[in-house]
Amino acid sequence: MKAATNTLAAHRKRRFDIWDVLIRFALIMASLVCLLPFIHVAAKSLSDDAFVIANKVFLWPQGFTLEAYGKIFADASILRSLYVSVVVTVLFTILGMIITICAAYPLSRKQLKGRTALTFLFMFTLYFGGGIIPEYMLISNLGMLDTWWALILPQAFSAFNLLIMKTAIANSIPTSLEESARIDGAGHFRILWSIVLPLSKPIIATLSLFYAVGRWNAYQDALFYIKQRVDLRPLQLKLYYLVIQASESFQLEATQVSLSNPEVLKASCVVFATLPILCMYPFIQKYFVQGVMLGAVKE
């Protein structure tokens, strides 16, 4: 009997190990699918034109050169677009988090009357929207075309992030803490500032990353709303205009850049636009997993 039990345990352990290996293999493959294209683009941006034309660049630079990056930094319009993207992303993230926190906290408290109906109204916007044309007409009627506000206000709130924040606060902040603070005479804003926010750092960091990455990578709204003022084009929109050009001459507004292969300049622009947002992740990595798990817990 004991031998049979040991055999069954060994079989289960071996089967578990096989699944563990398969899962690890799948995760490694998924990671490589995400990582290798970026490494390939980075290698092309650091390679000489001749090697790129001959398709000899894969995961390692050939004929290492920084000429493409020199052309980027020499063009004032790209640096201006980088400045616009940084300013818009910072303001967008701050405003989005303020709105999300101020909406999620009261909706997470059971004493708020009608919170189920209000939550449904926010959730309704995840499934139904007015569309691009009504939104464009609204922005135009408000006089926000070709302004900074057209890049910040329209998308500064996410109902999806609100629901995550609401669930996280409801499950991680005990009502007893709030009741104790009320006994001591604390009001809603005091409780929010002194209790809720310090205990919600993981989910705040996670949603801030969501807002920042979403704004940094967006270009469609700028394509619609920024027409006349070229100086307000964000970096991603600038990159979009570069990528869609298939000719061997790139008109970068301020300078004429001629390369034997435009793929080198495209690759350098992609890397140039991606690195700033990648540099943010290591600073909030310790909060990221905790925040995602908190938001995944059902109420």
Side-chain angles (χ1 to χ4, degrees):
M1 183 66 180
K2 185 176 181 180
T5 303
N6 293 336
T7 303
L8 181 60
H11 176 69
R12 290 179 176 178
K13 183 177 181 181
R14 183 168 58 253
R15 184 175 61 181
F16 173 79
D17 291 341
I18 292 176
W19 280 108
D20 187 53
V21 171
L22 292 177
I23 291 174
R24 291 177 183 272
F25 176 77
L27 291 176
I28 291 175
M29 293 302 297
S31 301
L32 291 177
V33 169
C34 297
L35 184 62
L36 291 181
F38 181 77
I39 296 178
H40 175 67
V41 172
K44 288 172 63 175
S45 69
L46 297 172
S47 300
D48 188 75
D49 298 340
F51 292 97
V52 177
I53 295 174
N55 291 325
K56 294 183 178 180
V57 180
F58 296 99
L59 300 178
W60 191 258
Q62 301 293 331
F64 182 85
T65 178
L66 296 176
E67 181 182 358
Y69 291 98
K71 294 181 181 295
I72 290 177
F73 286 102
D75 185 64
S77 64
I78 293 184
L79 298 181
R80 171 67 184 182
S81 297
L82 175 63
Y83 168 76
V84 171
S85 291
V86 171
V87 173
V88 169
T89 300
V90 172
L91 295 179
F92 177 87
T93 303
I94 294 175
L95 180 61
M97 287 307 304
I98 291 176
I99 298 175
T100 301
I101 292 173
C102 291
Y105 170 66
L107 290 176
S108 66
R109 302 298 93 182
K110 296 182 179 180
Q111 61 266 32
L112 176 65
K113 296 181 180 180
R115 70 189 188 103
T116 302
L118 292 174
T119 303
F120 173 77
L121 291 178
F122 286 114
M123 188 180 300
F124 184 82
T125 62
L126 295 175
Y127 301 98
F128 302 97
I132 296 177
I133 296 178
E135 185 176 351
Y136 180 86
M137 294 176 62
L138 175 62
I139 300 300
S140 178
N141 293 333
L142 292 176
M144 293 196 303
L145 293 179
D146 289 312
T147 64
W148 290 87
W149 299 115
L151 302 176
I152 299 174
L153 292 182
Q155 308 295 331
F157 172 75
S158 171
F160 178 76
N161 291 342
L162 166 66
L163 296 178
I164 295 178
M165 188 75 181
K166 169 185 172 295
T167 304
I169 293 178
N171 288 277
S172 61
I173 310 296
T175 55
S176 57
L177 289 178
E178 182 179 351
E179 294 173 354
S180 300
R182 289 190 178 280
I183 293 175
D184 293 336
H188 290 293
F189 288 101
R190 181 66 176 178
I191 294 173
L192 177 62
W193 181 261
S194 301
I195 298 178
V196 176
L197 293 184
L199 295 178
S200 302
K201 289 181 179 179
I203 192 64
I204 291 176
T206 302
L207 295 184
S208 297
L209 182 63
F210 287 170
Y211 274 117
V213 172
R215 177 64 266 177
W216 183 270
N217 291 330
Y219 73 91
Q220 189 176 24
D221 55 346
L223 181 64
F224 294 153
Y225 305 145
I226 306 299
K227 294 295 184 179
Q228 303 298 327
R229 295 193 57 183
V230 181
D231 60 311
L232 286 183
R233 289 179 179 176
L235 185 60
Q236 296 298 336
L237 181 60
K238 186 71 176 179
L239 176 62
Y240 168 78
Y241 283 126
L242 292 178
V243 170
I244 64 174
Q245 295 182 20
S247 62
E248 294 184 358
S249 287
F250 285 77
Q251 180 66 37
L252 298 183
E253 297 176 7
T255 60
Q256 179 75 24
V257 179
S258 298
L259 290 176
S260 56
N261 188 354
E263 292 297 324
V264 177
L265 183 60
K266 292 180 183 179
S268 61
C269 289
V270 171
V271 175
F272 180 72
T274 306
L275 284 180
I277 202 69
L278 287 179
C279 295
M280 292 178 53
Y281 182 75
F283 297 99
I284 60 177
Q285 181 180 7
K286 62 179 180 180
Y287 299 112
F288 187 75
V289 176
Q290 300 176 9
V292 172
M293 293 304 296
L294 283 174
V297 178
K298 292 185 178 179
E299 186 176 3

